Amino acid sequence: MPAAKPAYTVDTVTDLVQPHQVHRDVYTDPDVFRLEMKHLFANAWVFVGHDSQTPNKGDYYTTQIGDQPVIQVRHTNGEICVLYNRCPHKGTKIAIDRTGNTGKFFRCPYHAWSFKTDGCLLAIPLKKGYEGTGLDKTENGQGMKAVGAVRNYRGFIFARLADEGISFEDYFGASLSSLDNMVDRSPAGRLEVAGPPLRYMHQCNWKMLVENQTDTCHPMVAHESSAGTAVKIFEDMDWPEDKPKPMAMEIIAPFMSPYEFFENMGIRTWPNGHGHTGVHHSIHSDYSAIPGYLEQMVEAYGEDKAKEILGENRHNTVYFPNIMIKGPIQQLRNFIPLGPDKTLVESYIYRLVDAPDQLLARTAMYNRLINAPTSMVGHDDLEMYERAQEGLAADGMEWVNVQRLYEEGEDFDHEAVENGTTERQMRNQFNAWVKFMSPQPATDKAEAAE
Amino acid sequence: MSFPSRDDLIDFIYDEARMLDEGRFSEWLELWMPEGIYWMPLDYKQTDPDCVTSLLYEDQFMLRLRVERLNGARTFSQKPKSRCHHVIQRPFVDVMDAEANRYVTNTSMHYVETRLDDQFLLAITATHELCVEGGKIRIANKRVDLLNSDAAFGNIQLLP
Ligand code: FES
Ligand SMILES: [Fe+2]
């Protein structure tokens, strides 16, 4: 019998990444997953939610950062706090429902310890039972624990679990231009969440989903059955040339674009694992204009700036480690890791404040046509991921190839724009994966001192 | 038939379920009025189909695409094909308005879908808006509410 292989540690896990390939254990091994949750998801800045999900004081929303249960809550001072969803007494989750309003304080449903909405301990019933016990000197006696750092960037809430580490600005850098473009598309410069997210369960590793966001060599293959059939049916329909195409066709047909289209659209990578497809154009470029919208934008920003904002048609922007946004249609997908082979995808859409509803209607249609558990496009994507998860069990070959348009000595610390079919963004993600397995220098502290 | 009886309407709902269970999807498309919409809301008791995401909100173009895709040679998520099974409770006939040619039924169902080693159950309420056209009962609109519409699902590939 072969000896059991030793468990991975922070030091050995990084051997699983080579410049042009990654070991299959990064997708399948429970120890690797545990290390990702403890280190990678603690050192990185991770998306939590949107501030319009908690508009009023006391509003809260529960979610996860990696495998950590957290609460996003609007504190009495109007700021957003992110707290671990765990009572400091015996561990009971403080908030069980997905959203709600807790008023001025949280009250644990088990023994009624209560906490201000920034987590500070407010009161304990029958407090004299703790007199002289030293509770006030324990961590538990302080209240609910807050995460290391929180940043509200134009309505999008990100958090870093680690107390010290890279600052928000250093972590995201120039990649924030994609979020800016998404928000700037509102004449008021503001987004609002529109309804609940689609929730789609995948029996595969979270990184397969993130990698697929910039995988431009799969749509015309994996989605031929939906997009290709749509094009064929439409051709049979004798649609009058001058009549606008059905919205569904505008959305689904570009998935059948030829390789050349995707090669020319370009991929940009930024440091720390962020990147996007659609530098020059994208599958969102040719959507019909919505009456009245351009005029509203020109009024809000002036003609040049309005055209600049709307001229940017980035396709998918990956914010490492685990979200993707589509600026032109105001969609965000959160790839929530639940286990080495289990990932929950939540797909949100946002209303452009002060813009016509038709834009949101198109976004809602995109969301259900492409990213729903009932979506034909989603069906084939999920099939590919789950087949890959199963296929990786094959011992005949242990490495997964990410070599398309690879060049020796790639430097991910500088922004780059390349051929749109490169797998460079996947390599960029793995480069960041290795980096954030270890704590990063505390640029936050330095800023505070300035 | 120009004025269906209560039994005609109820039989129609049973026949439709059987058609879906037997995979007779092209025949099923023939049941629809050209403007008919199949709606499966995402939010419990959702009222807005346009500006809030739904699971399905599909016109005849999209439904036809679904049916043709199921038979395609490169439909990877349908190798092998899914099968489904409806167990339905006797439909309520909520509206019977012969003058307006509008009939509404409300039907509780257990819907089971299976493929390979996976099988799942959805508890659903289907609301059919029906009418008579060319002497036959047709579907003007169909709304399918999932009891657990807010839960996370894997692939739901056929049409409950
Ligand atoms: S567990 Fe929360 S008060 Fe006891
Ligand atoms: Fe895809």
Side-chain angles (χ1 to χ4, degrees):
Chain A
M1 207 175 106
K5 118 189 138 177
Y8 289 108
T9 64
V10 197
D11 297 321
T12 61
V13 77
T14 54
D15 297 341
L16 300 175
V17 174
Q18 293 179 3
H20 65 294
Q21 60 181 8
V22 293
H23 194 271
R24 53 107 181 254
D25 283 359
V26 304
Y27 303 102
T28 59
D29 189 284
D31 292 324
V32 173
F33 183 79
R34 190 176 45 78
L35 291 166
E36 286 178 334
M37 294 305 110
K38 285 286 159 266
H39 301 283
L40 172 62
F41 277 80
N43 294 325
W45 282 86
V46 180
F47 172 72
V48 181
H50 192 264
D51 74 353
S52 64
Q53 291 172 268
T54 52
N56 303 308
K57 290 174 186 175
D59 283 351
Y60 65 86
Y61 146 76
T62 58
T63 181
Q64 288 180 210
I65 297 176
D67 63 353
Q68 298 297 294
V70 297
I71 308 175
Q72 169 186 315
V73 58
R74 179 83 60 173
H75 185 42
T76 28
N77 69 1
E79 299 290 309
I80 301 273
C81 295
V82 180
L83 310 172
Y84 287 94
N85 192 1
R86 187 249 196 237
C87 180
H89 181 209
K90 305 278 296 260
T92 308
K93 266 188 175 179
I94 296 289
I96 305 300
D97 42 5
R98 292 191 183 128
T99 59
N101 184 291
T102 194
K104 286 201 167 68
F105 59 92
F106 286 111
R107 180 174 181 273
C108 178
Y110 201 176
H111 313 97
W113 287 24
S114 58
F115 314 92
K116 292 185 195 160
T117 43
D118 62 358
C120 290
L121 182 70
L122 189 62
I124 297 179
L126 212 61
K127 194 157 188 192
K128 62 176 188 281
Y130 289 105
E131 269 168 27
T133 64
L135 173 73
D136 53 348
K137 291 185 191 67
T138 66
E139 194 181 21
N140 307 55
Q142 310 313 304
M144 294 168 67
K145 196 160 159 52
V147 300
V150 178
R151 179 64 193 268
N152 181 346
Y153 186 80
R154 306 197 67 182
F156 290 85
I157 312 297
F158 291 85
R160 189 189 65 216
L161 294 176
D163 286 336
E164 289 185 11
I166 187 168
S167 72
F168 179 86
E169 276 72 18
D170 286 347
Y171 183 75
F172 286 114
S175 74
L176 291 171
S177 54
S178 284
L179 263 176
D180 285 336
N181 183 258
M182 180 154 90
V183 180
D184 288 345
R185 283 169 174 264
S186 150
R190 205 149 43 82
L191 302 185
E192 272 172 13
V193 71
L198 287 164
R199 305 181 69 243
Y200 198 173
M201 195 65 86
H202 290 65
Q203 308 302 324
C204 71
N205 188 268
W206 64 276
K207 295 187 291 302
M208 288 185 184
L209 280 142
V210 181
E211 285 168 47
N212 189 63
Q213 304 310 307
T214 58
D215 183 322
T216 51
C217 285
H218 89 280
M220 67 300 278
V221 181
H223 302 308
E224 184 185 333
S225 71
S226 45
T229 308
V231 171
K232 224 181 302 147
I233 294 178
F234 187 71
E235 279 167 3
D236 287 352
M237 279 170 75
D238 286 320
W239 196 269
E241 287 256 347
D242 48 343
K243 195 172 156 192
K245 271 194 202 173
M247 224 186 230
M249 269 303 289
E250 276 194 4
I251 287 173
I252 212 166
F255 282 72
M256 278 314 277
S257 305
Y259 286 118
E260 200 186 4
F261 174 92
F262 289 101
E263 286 195 295
N264 293 336
M265 85 181 200
I267 283 184
R268 177 182 280 122
T269 66
W270 292 287
N272 298 328
H274 319 302
H276 79 95
T277 47
V279 178
H280 312 294
H281 60 260
S282 78
I283 64 166
H284 305 304
S285 298
D286 289 333
Y287 291 170
S288 323
I290 301 293
Y293 176 49
L294 178 63
E295 291 75 2
Q296 290 175 324
M297 288 292 284
V298 168
E299 185 162 355
Y301 293 101
E303 186 151 352
D304 291 351
K305 176 82 176 152
K307 288 199 166 145
E308 185 192 318
I309 293 167
L310 299 177
E312 192 73 65
N313 274 298
R314 297 182 183 184
H315 173 214
N316 292 344
T317 298
V318 169
Y319 287 113
F320 185 80
N322 68 327
I323 62 165
M324 181 278 284
I325 68 160
K326 282 180 177 292
I329 62 165
Q330 301 83 49
Q331 185 202 33
L332 182 150
R333 305 186 71 209
N334 190 5
F335 306 104
I336 303 172
L338 300 182
D341 53 3
K342 195 168 178 186
T343 306
L344 171 61
V345 186
E346 292 192 336
S347 299
Y348 284 93
I349 58 170
Y350 304 93
R351 174 192 300 278
L352 294 168
V353 174
D354 289 350
D357 271 352
Q358 268 171 287
L359 286 156
L360 181 55
R362 178 158 64 201
T363 295
M365 180 184 273
Y366 188 97
N367 211 22
R368 68 175 181 263
L369 288 188
I370 311 299
N371 299 127
T374 37
S375 143
M376 292 175 277
V377 172
H379 291 160
D380 283 318
D381 278 327
L382 177 142
E383 186 66 21
M384 296 309 122
Y385 309 137
E386 294 190 354
R387 279 189 188 187
Q389 193 74 31
E390 290 174 9
L392 289 178
D395 285 333
M397 198 173 279
E398 298 196 357
W399 293 83
V400 173
N401 189 278
V402 286
Q403 205 161 6
R404 177 174 283 279
L405 294 171
Y406 165 73
E407 283 164 32
E408 214 168 310
E410 279 178 324
D411 172 12
F412 297 106
D413 289 338
H414 293 96
E415 186 176 319
V417 173
E418 310 242 328
N419 177 309
T421 58
T422 181
E423 287 170 346
R424 180 184 163 102
Q425 171 54 18
M426 302 176 199
R427 298 189 289 273
N428 187 31
Q429 284 158 207
F430 278 108
N431 182 68
W433 187 87
V434 168
K435 177 173 173 182
F436 288 97
M437 277 290 183
S438 306
Q440 290 305 299
T443 50
D444 255 5
K445 279 266 161 109
E447 267 174 26
E450 270 169 27
Chain B
M1 175 200 313
S2 32
F3 303 110
S5 69
R6 188 169 288 268
D7 271 351
D8 290 335
L9 296 169
I10 291 171
D11 286 349
F12 178 87
I13 301 298
Y14 276 92
D15 288 342
E16 187 215 0
R18 182 170 176 182
M19 225 175 245
L20 292 169
D21 288 356
E22 292 176 357
R24 293 183 278 135
F25 295 110
S26 305
E27 217 177 306
W28 178 75
L29 284 181
E30 302 290 314
L31 300 178
W32 284 81
M33 295 295 287
E35 303 300 316
I37 298 274
Y38 186 120
W39 186 18
M40 187 190 285
L42 170 64
D43 206 1
Y44 191 63
K45 300 199 170 153
Q46 185 172 336
T47 53
D48 179 356
D50 293 317
C51 291
V52 174
T53 308
S54 297
L55 288 160
L56 294 169
Y57 189 74
E58 305 212 330
D59 60 11
Q60 295 308 297
F61 173 78
M62 286 303 298
L63 291 179
R64 188 173 150 203
L65 169 54
R66 265 178 201 278
V67 168
E68 294 203 8
R69 174 180 172 276
L70 287 177
N71 299 320
R74 290 183 175 160
T75 305
F76 306 115
S77 75
Q78 283 295 295
K79 288 172 184 291
K81 286 191 191 306
S82 302
R83 295 187 289 262
C84 72
H85 182 78
H86 292 74
V87 178
I88 80 179
Q89 191 166 291
R90 185 174 186 271
F92 296 102
V93 179
D94 286 346
V95 175
M96 220 163 149
D97 188 342
E99 210 167 304
N101 191 17
R102 183 165 180 272
Y103 307 89
V104 179
T105 62
N106 172 292
T107 315
S108 299
M109 312 187 181
H110 281 186
Y111 170 82
V112 176
E113 192 177 301
T114 185
R115 180 172 168 259
L116 293 166
D117 291 333
D118 292 324
Q119 178 166 295
F120 60 87
L121 169 73
L122 299 173
I124 69 179
T125 304
T127 309
H128 286 76
E129 271 178 51
L130 304 171
C131 63
V132 175
E133 178 79 21
K136 288 187 172 145
I137 300 175
R138 310 274 294 272
I139 304 172
N141 285 301
K142 176 173 177 179
R143 171 175 171 143
V144 172
D145 286 280
L146 307 185
L147 183 64
N148 61 342
S149 61
D150 52 358
F153 300 107
N155 278 352
I156 302 173
Q157 299 207 54
L158 300 181
L159 292 154

